[in-house]
Amino acid sequence: MALHFSAQVALTCDERVAESATAAFANCLNFEQRNRGKAMNLNALRYFLEVAKCKSIRRASERLHVAASAISRQISALEHELDCVLLDRRSDGVRLTEAGERLWAHGLKIEAQLHLVQSDIDDLRALHRGEIRITTVEGITENFLPRILTEFNEAYPDVTFEIVVASRDETVDALDRYQADIGFVYDFSNHHALEAFAHYHQPLKAFVPSKHTLADGRPIELPELMGYDHVLPDSSFGISQLIKRIAKKQKAQVAPKTISNKLQFLRSYALLNNAVFFVPAQAVYSEINADVLVPVNLQCSAFDHRHLSIARRRQRALSPAAELFAKFAEDRFSEWEEKDEAALKAARKRWWINED
């Protein structure tokens, strides 16, 4: 993320606003150095954080479009200023030392605060612009999130997004480490550092290809369903965690034919191999409407109480752009809940033998 703060910015803002922003900026850079009174070099910190994320100076160089030698020199200068070794340089990349881990934790907070300062200044200019960093589970990336982003950008074209698609656990971790402004996550539970502030009811559903014997809507319990070939995402996904938890209670045998960290792959594999596939309805609108996937008449109420939540770091102020987008998405949750139910109802009517 490129951050620029200078007299030029101050000149474009109201003088009092500029003074406040300057004070906030100075505070977040007031990182006391051991035995030294100098301010930390912001560029060096930015390079260090990118190397820590990539675990490689070469990969950080490619992402930042800065020569690897320049990054290495800046980090070496930072190590000299702090009088400690931050990186354990190896042939296969780098690893953080204990001092590096501590700087990494503090540096992520500084980076997040700088992002907020820049967004605040942008908002004060009434440009409604800024960058929003979102980490999200894959289940909403086919339909809900792309459409919501598109609608939002029609109203606010100067807002940009950085979207990272990850598992449930990775999404929680990204928020915890200040690597995302907001996150979309399923089955949010209590977390010491995070809070959820909006919820979209998304029951977990079982689907089968239209040629499957269960496409006729016959009622089935989870233990019997798991006797059919099925696929699951890996254990870092909320879908997998929920299914295994409920299956254990109901003494159902979970033995997936294939496991993957990509829902798109699992969907394609299930279609080719006539296997059971678990996702919320909005993730497979196209397949439902095209009669490629059919909902199973699964009798499992525990799957009905599932929600997608918008989450953020506790006690962290969101930028005006991020706050605006989160409210924009939340306002559309009920509309999409109705879409989910309408798609399922239409599919049941077309396929289930005893459905009127």
Side-chain angles (χ1 to χ4, degrees):
M1 172 177 60
L3 289 159
H4 308 283
F5 193 87
S6 65
Q8 289 181 335
V9 172
L11 289 172
T12 63
C13 301
D14 177 85
E15 194 170 325
R16 288 183 307 167
V17 170
E19 289 175 359
S20 298
T22 304
F25 184 83
N27 284 339
C28 71
L29 289 182
N30 188 21
F31 191 101
E32 290 296 332
Q33 300 173 16
R34 185 164 40 182
N35 301 322
R36 298 180 185 273
K38 298 182 293 183
M40 180 177 292
N41 182 303
L42 179 57
N43 251 356
L45 178 61
R46 185 164 66 95
Y47 293 164
F48 167 77
L49 291 175
E50 193 62 40
V51 170
K53 292 173 190 175
C54 297
K55 296 182 174 57
S56 165
I57 292 176
R58 178 183 58 79
R59 286 196 291 274
S61 168
E62 293 170 353
R63 285 175 56 88
L64 294 170
H65 304 291
V66 176
S69 57
I71 292 176
S72 186
R73 282 197 302 273
Q74 288 274 17
I75 293 177
S76 293
L78 187 58
E79 290 177 320
H80 178 72
E81 289 179 11
L82 294 172
D83 191 23
C84 64
V85 177
L86 299 171
L87 299 177
D88 181 8
R89 296 162 173 82
R90 305 182 178 201
S91 59
D92 60 343
V94 300
R95 290 188 182 179
L96 297 180
T97 63
E98 183 178 352
E101 289 282 359
R102 294 190 181 191
L103 179 59
W104 159 255
H106 287 289
L108 289 173
K109 297 176 185 178
I110 293 172
E111 186 180 48
Q113 186 64 34
L114 291 173
H115 179 80
L116 179 60
V117 169
Q118 185 68 65
S119 294
D120 280 343
I121 292 170
D122 289 339
D123 189 66
L124 287 166
R125 290 161 149 176
L127 294 177
H128 292 293
R129 75 179 188 188
E131 180 189 55
I132 304 173
R133 299 175 302 168
I134 298 174
T135 301
T136 178
V137 290
E138 189 183 354
I140 62 170
T141 58
E142 286 291 318
N143 294 292
F144 175 76
L145 191 56
R147 296 191 188 189
I148 293 300
L149 292 178
T150 300
E151 290 176 24
F152 186 83
N153 270 146
E154 288 174 356
Y156 305 98
D158 292 318
V159 174
T160 59
F161 292 92
E162 178 185 328
I163 309 295
V164 175
V165 181
S167 69
R168 176 189 180 280
D169 291 353
E170 289 167 340
T171 299
V172 168
D173 190 55
L175 290 168
D176 190 16
R177 289 178 172 271
Y178 294 88
Q179 292 172 332
D181 300 313
I182 60 175
F184 288 91
V185 60
Y186 285 112
D187 306 323
F188 182 85
S189 56
N190 290 336
H191 189 284
H192 71 283
L194 308 181
E195 62 179 354
F197 56 95
H199 308 281
Y200 171 178
H201 182 219
Q202 279 196 23
L204 181 63
K205 298 295 181 181
F207 292 90
V208 291
S210 56
K211 61 183 178 181
H212 199 284
T213 186
L214 295 178
D216 63 2
R218 68 186 69 177
I220 189 169
E221 303 284 343
L222 185 63
E224 184 184 353
L225 178 63
M226 301 311 282
Y228 289 86
D229 285 344
H230 55 276
V231 297
L232 286 183
D234 68 38
S235 58
S236 66
F237 280 69
I239 290 174
S240 186
Q241 294 169 16
L242 175 61
I243 290 172
K244 290 177 180 177
R245 185 168 65 250
I246 303 305
K248 185 177 181 180
K249 290 181 180 178
Q250 297 188 9
K251 295 182 171 51
Q253 183 67 36
V254 180
K257 193 175 182 70
T258 296
I259 296 173
S260 174
N261 67 337
K262 294 296 180 183
L263 293 180
Q264 186 175 8
F265 169 80
L266 290 174
R267 180 178 56 213
S268 298
Y269 187 90
L271 285 169
L272 289 172
N273 291 271
N274 205 32
V276 181
F277 176 52
F278 296 89
V279 280
Q282 67 79 32
V284 286
Y285 276 166
S286 298
E287 290 79 3
I288 295 173
N289 293 333
D291 290 328
V292 173
L293 284 175
V294 179
V296 174
N297 191 2
L298 176 60
Q299 308 297 296
C300 185
S301 60
F303 288 178
D304 293 336
H305 307 292
R306 196 166 188 251
H307 289 81
L308 173 79
S309 300
I310 304 178
R312 66 179 174 189
R313 195 70 161 68
R314 286 186 190 277
Q315 300 177 335
R316 176 184 176 183
L318 292 178
S319 70
E323 193 84 55
L324 188 64
F325 174 75
K327 184 66 168 61
F328 186 90
E330 180 183 5
D331 287 346
R332 281 146 186 81
F333 280 176
S334 59
E335 172 192 342
W336 280 74
E337 288 173 2
E338 292 173 4
K339 285 183 179 181
D340 291 352
E341 187 51 43
L344 289 169
K345 184 177 180 180
R348 293 172 188 140
K349 189 173 182 178
R350 290 195 301 272
W351 286 93
W352 290 9
I353 293 174
N354 296 320
E355 191 78 4
D356 294 329

